[in-house]
Amino acid sequence: GKNPGPDGKATLCGTCGSRYRAGHTGPPKKKDGKFECDDCGKLLDTVGALGSHRRFCDGGKWRCKWCQCTANECIGKNPGPDGKATLCGTCGSRYRAGHTGPPKKKDGKFECDDCGKLLDTVGALGSHRRFCDGGKWRCKWCQCTANECIGKNPGPD
């Protein structure tokens, strides 16, 4: 739609009209023919894409209170013990499951509480934990562990 701007009625597009009403005094910056985000420097093809991006862009300032990942490294922002949007999606799931803090780290990696395996990301730890039994499971017949066999199958017991 056509929006009012500093030069009168119907002089700006909808996105630039929103920028003008928000206090911007000129058009968005362009670099190499693309629109540049003021906060993070990301280049976008259209002014509309820039507007959509800006609604969620924090310029890389946000960090999960538990694992310290950035907004670009996580699935989304979730509530935690310190309020809304304080944890990443993975840590938010841990919080809802009753955990009271971040997972343990060792040598810069996330450590599984059950088996001690070190994983690069908190998301990888979450995926690993769904199937980890800490080496406790044993085949009733040959006594192999889950890591030593192809899979767990139903037996006569």
Side-chain angles (χ1 to χ4, degrees):
K2 298 174 184 171
N3 284 259
D7 296 328
K9 291 182 175 183
T11 58
L12 298 177
C13 69
T15 304
C16 289
S18 294
R19 285 178 55 85
Y20 176 69
R21 285 189 302 279
H24 292 273
T25 57
K29 289 192 293 186
K30 274 188 147 181
K31 183 177 183 180
D32 300 326
K34 295 191 175 208
F35 295 94
E36 184 177 12
C37 174
D38 293 331
D39 289 335
C40 71
K42 183 173 183 172
L43 299 176
L44 297 118
D45 292 327
T46 66
V47 71
L50 175 64
S52 296
H53 166 81
R54 295 273 303 141
R55 285 196 347 239
F56 300 103
C57 180
D58 66 356
K61 296 173 191 123
W62 183 88
R63 292 229 179 248
C64 172
K65 298 283 187 196
W66 283 6
C67 74
Q68 301 304 307
C69 70
T70 66
N72 290 336
E73 297 169 330
C74 69
I75 297 167
K77 298 175 186 173
N78 282 237
D82 297 330
K84 65 179 191 173
T86 57
L87 299 178
C88 68
T90 305
C91 289
S93 293
R94 286 178 54 84
Y95 175 67
R96 286 189 303 279
H99 294 273
T100 57
K104 290 190 301 188
K105 272 188 151 182
K106 183 177 182 181
D107 300 325
K109 296 191 176 212
F110 296 94
E111 184 177 13
C112 175
D113 291 331
D114 290 336
C115 71
K117 183 173 182 172
L118 300 176
L119 298 118
D120 291 327
T121 65
V122 72
L125 175 64
S127 296
H128 167 80
R129 295 271 302 145
R130 279 196 284 284
F131 301 102
C132 180
D133 64 3
K136 296 174 188 118
W137 182 86
R138 297 255 180 220
C139 173
K140 296 265 184 184
W141 287 5
C142 73
Q143 297 301 306
C144 71
T145 66
N147 290 337
E148 297 169 331
C149 66
I150 296 170
K152 300 174 192 173
N153 288 295
D157 297 332

